[in-house]
Amino acid sequence: MNISKRSKLLVVFLASLSALPPLSIDMGLPGLPGIESDLASAAGKGTLTLSYFLVGFSLAPLFFGPIADRFGRKPILMFTSFVFALATFIAGIMHSFECLLAARLLQGIWYFCRSRGNLSSGDRERYCEGS
């Protein structure tokens, strides 16, 4: 069986997309004391950034599963990758803790849409039949 170079690149691309949520969580944890000291309103509340990311990640399936069914996976993947990068940039330049929380919530929502939300109901029926 020959595997094309394009298939290998696709696997590497999808694997790197799967690595983003652990990175966005794990890279933020060592910075929590810095966030709390730099943003005055964040004193003792730095862990909320992780909570907001996870809340966004868990609420997104309620809304974005049907959108992936309607528009397909590729447009959703491209759009949500852009919005995730934009939310990451916004989180990095925020000077307000509340705006940082909003950006982390958006990161969680758009990450779900980009990764797990891209499995449409047609794919579920195809790959999960018999279960």
Side-chain angles (χ1 to χ4, degrees), residues 21-118:
L23 282 175
S24 65
I25 292 171
D26 293 343
M27 290 177 73
L29 291 176
L32 290 179
I35 290 171
E36 291 177 355
S37 67
D38 288 347
L39 302 174
S41 62
K45 300 185 222 172
T47 55
L48 282 176
T49 60
L50 175 62
S51 299
Y52 273 59
F53 180 83
L54 294 174
V55 164
F57 189 78
S58 63
L59 291 179
L62 299 174
F63 306 103
F64 293 104
I67 292 174
D69 289 342
R70 169 71 175 92
F71 295 106
R73 292 174 303 210
K74 187 174 181 179
I76 299 296
L77 176 69
M78 301 306 284
F79 177 71
T80 56
S81 294
F82 172 75
V83 175
F84 180 81
L86 184 63
T88 302
F89 176 74
I90 290 170
I93 63 169
M94 283 296 119
H95 296 290
S96 159
F97 185 64
E98 291 76 20
C99 292
L100 173 64
L101 291 178
R104 290 293 285 169
L105 181 68
L106 286 176
Q107 279 182 321
I109 290 170
W110 293 109
Y111 180 76
F112 172 84
C113 297
R114 196 184 68 217
S115 62
R116 284 141 183 92
N118 289 325

